[in-house]
Amino acid sequence: MFKRDVKPVGNLILQALREQGLETPLQQKRLVEAWPLVAGPLIARYTLNVSIYNQTLYVRLSNPALRADLSMRRTEFVQRLNAVVGEQVIVDVRFA
């Protein structure tokens, strides 16, 4: 008898995404979508735009006082957002 090489479907999908170069953009999208969850409803209400460029998350806020407060908590947000995705996707957060 022969032994079959059975792999979970999730692992096969991740392998296919990695081979096609789509794993990182997918993780970046998940991280951007996780911003309201990690930041909370109050901060999410003042968020105008969220994007990633060169492993930096750029968050555009409508409240300057909130921007100054969140700038002091940048490392906390980096750790929490990367934890949600499960890998290190970003290394910094900039508030504008």
Side-chain angles (χ1 to χ4, degrees):
M1 245 194 220
F2 61 93
K3 184 177 179 181
R4 294 181 186 210
D5 187 20
V6 179
K7 297 179 182 177
V9 174
N11 291 351
L12 294 173
I13 292 172
L14 286 175
Q15 180 181 355
L17 288 171
R18 194 172 296 123
E19 290 171 359
Q20 297 295 319
L22 299 173
E23 182 181 30
T24 301
L26 178 64
Q27 290 174 338
Q28 289 176 346
K29 182 177 182 337
R30 288 178 52 209
L31 191 133
V32 167
E33 290 177 350
W35 171 253
L37 175 71
V38 171
L42 178 66
I43 297 170
R45 187 177 325 142
Y46 292 103
T47 301
L48 300 175
N49 188 19
V50 180
S51 62
I52 296 177
Y53 181 73
N54 285 343
Q55 292 186 322
T56 301
L57 181 71
Y58 292 92
V59 181
R60 190 164 161 241
L61 299 168
S62 62
N63 187 328
L66 182 62
R67 183 180 328 139
D69 182 47
L70 295 181
S71 292
M72 292 183 246
R73 299 173 44 200
R74 289 181 2 203
T75 56
E76 175 190 342
F77 283 115
V78 169
Q79 292 171 351
R80 290 174 59 194
L81 287 164
N82 284 330
V84 168
V85 177
E87 288 189 33
Q88 184 174 352
V89 178
I90 59 170
V91 294
D92 195 14
V93 178
R94 300 283 170 103
F95 298 100

